Amino acid sequence: MSTETLTIGKALNLGLRRAMEDDAKVVLMGEDIGRLGGVFRITDGLQKDFGEDRVVDTPLAEAGILGTAVGLAMRGYRPVCEIQFDGFVFPAYNQIVTQVAKIHARSRGRLAMPVVIRIPFGGGIGAVEHHSESPEAYFAHTPGLKVVAVSNPVDAYWGIQQAIAHPDPIVFLEPKRRYWDKAEVDTAATPDPLFASRVVRGGDDVTVLAYGPMVKTALQAAEAAAEEGRSLEVVDLRAISPLDLDPVFDSVRRTGRCVVVHEAPVTLGLGAEIATRVTEQCFHSLEAPVLRVGGYDTPYPPSKLEEEYLPDLDRVLDTVDRVMGF
């Protein structure tokens, strides 16, 4: 039987396992990913089965992890780097944006850079400083990088395999507070393209766009809105660089209204880019401005305050009320 119930975490584990079985050049690297299996146990059991040469416990040095990955990729390997928490990626930021993102162009196509950078991102787990951030806009703004944000076990299982097989570097964002969400996964299915948006709930009144951890929040808001007689269409963007916005434009031309939801601060977040593109392409169909829901323009707060910081069902519904009021 090819269908089983998996959490996002287990789906990632099985996806990594399958990628390593399919290609001996796939190498995992990261802090505590071997014997421990990673802080979220995403790589649990992989070092035991594939050995220390393919599942490498690295020093606590993110710049070193990514620098080593660059050299491995140049020699034909497919390194998959785990950044333990989102806020730990910044020591490696220089390597990612000046080396990983640019070597293919710098070499005029002679050198490929098939590096996957796994980053558990977002809040909601009661963690300390630098463990709950949403740095996706930094990477989506960098030409040469592709950015994927999964929201469910199906996309986790297939997406990590597709990212590893892809010839270009991919920042692969995993919503850490959703690691334990479950769904049926058909491991023999034909997956959707990696960089394609998907309508996950149909509706007629407002188009709600989300990715990663906010997809579940958007769906919960849609369920609550239905009880009040409003019909929200929810689109999971899935990839945020490149953006697949044709399904979004089709939706907005029908509904006439659009709300974009993400955890990252609103100012200069992905919502700004998406709102602009929707306005450019759907101007004559819009009945209201495109509105955004996001984190506040403050550093991520202590865990006791994070529920006040994170966008929730009520904030999404309040914004739906605003967009319906025009």
Side-chain angles (χ1 to χ4, degrees):
M1 185 175 180
S2 62
T3 301
E4 52 186 313
T5 301
L6 301 175
T7 64
I8 289 179
K10 185 61 176 178
L12 288 166
N13 178 275
L14 293 179
L16 288 167
R17 177 178 293 277
R18 184 164 173 179
M20 296 183 76
E21 290 170 345
D22 290 345
D23 187 346
K25 293 291 188 180
V26 176
V27 178
L28 310 188
M29 307 165 57
E31 298 160 5
D32 298 319
I33 69 166
R35 183 178 301 177
L36 180 65
V39 292
F40 295 105
R41 305 300 185 266
I42 304 302
T43 53
D44 189 41
L46 297 182
Q47 188 180 74
K48 176 176 67 70
D49 293 338
F50 292 97
E52 295 181 3
D53 291 337
R54 294 190 64 195
V55 182
V56 182
D57 273 321
T58 67
L60 304 183
E62 286 78 11
I65 294 170
L66 265 297
T68 303
V70 169
L72 286 168
M74 285 180 169
R75 296 300 297 269
Y77 290 89
R78 291 183 174 272
V80 181
C81 304
E82 177 181 300
I83 302 298
Q84 199 167 71
F85 285 93
D86 34 49
F88 297 176
V89 74
F90 298 108
Y93 187 75
N94 179 48
Q95 292 282 12
I96 295 169
V97 301
T98 64
Q99 304 296 338
V100 174
K102 294 181 170 61
I103 283 176
H104 184 74
R106 187 185 302 147
S107 67
R108 298 186 180 181
R110 290 190 295 271
L111 293 174
M113 194 52 46
V115 177
V116 175
I117 305 162
R118 293 182 43 242
I119 306 177
F121 83 124
I125 64 167
V128 296
E129 190 178 22
H130 303 310
H131 288 66
S132 303
E133 298 169 17
S134 299
E136 60 267 24
Y138 297 117
F139 302 111
H141 184 70
T142 303
L145 294 177
K146 295 179 178 176
V147 184
V148 171
V150 298
S151 68
N152 60 80
V154 175
D155 286 347
Y157 176 76
W158 290 112
I160 192 63
Q161 295 177 65
Q162 292 168 311
I164 291 169
H166 197 74
D168 296 326
I170 293 178
V171 174
F172 194 88
L173 300 171
E174 303 166 7
K176 66 172 79 73
R177 68 166 151 153
R178 308 297 189 203
Y179 271 144
W180 298 273
D181 288 4
K182 296 180 179 180
E184 292 289 311
V185 179
D186 184 352
T187 58
T190 300
D192 288 342
L194 182 60
F195 305 112
S197 297
R198 181 192 299 131
V199 177
V200 292
R201 181 184 175 115
D204 300 314
D205 295 331
V206 181
T207 300
V208 180
L209 310 178
Y211 57 86
M214 285 290 101
V215 173
K216 183 174 182 178
T217 303
L219 288 170
Q220 291 170 337
E223 290 179 10
E227 296 177 2
E228 301 174 355
R230 284 183 177 164
S231 176
L232 307 187
E233 179 148 299
V234 179
V235 181
D236 182 351
L237 295 172
R238 300 179 71 242
I240 53 181
S241 181
L243 284 164
D244 174 29
L245 292 181
D246 284 342
V248 172
F249 299 151
D250 290 343
S251 177
V252 174
R253 288 179 184 125
R254 285 191 301 99
T255 65
R257 293 174 170 84
C258 183
V259 172
V260 190
V261 186
H262 54 62
E263 279 193 25
V266 169
T267 300
L268 296 177
L270 265 295
E273 175 67 23
I274 295 165
T276 298
R277 292 206 202 177
V278 169
T279 301
E280 289 173 349
Q281 295 296 320
C282 304
F283 182 76
H284 295 290
S285 301
L286 286 170
E287 301 290 340
V290 180
L291 299 183
R292 294 168 288 163
V293 184
Y296 299 110
D297 291 334
T298 65
Y300 196 89
S303 58
K304 288 184 179 180
L305 297 174
E306 68 178 348
E307 289 188 9
E308 305 299 325
Y309 175 90
L310 291 169
D312 59 9
L313 180 150
D314 289 335
R315 285 175 60 191
V316 174
L317 291 179
D318 286 346
T319 307
V320 168
D321 287 343
R322 287 174 54 209
V323 82
M324 291 293 293
F326 282 91

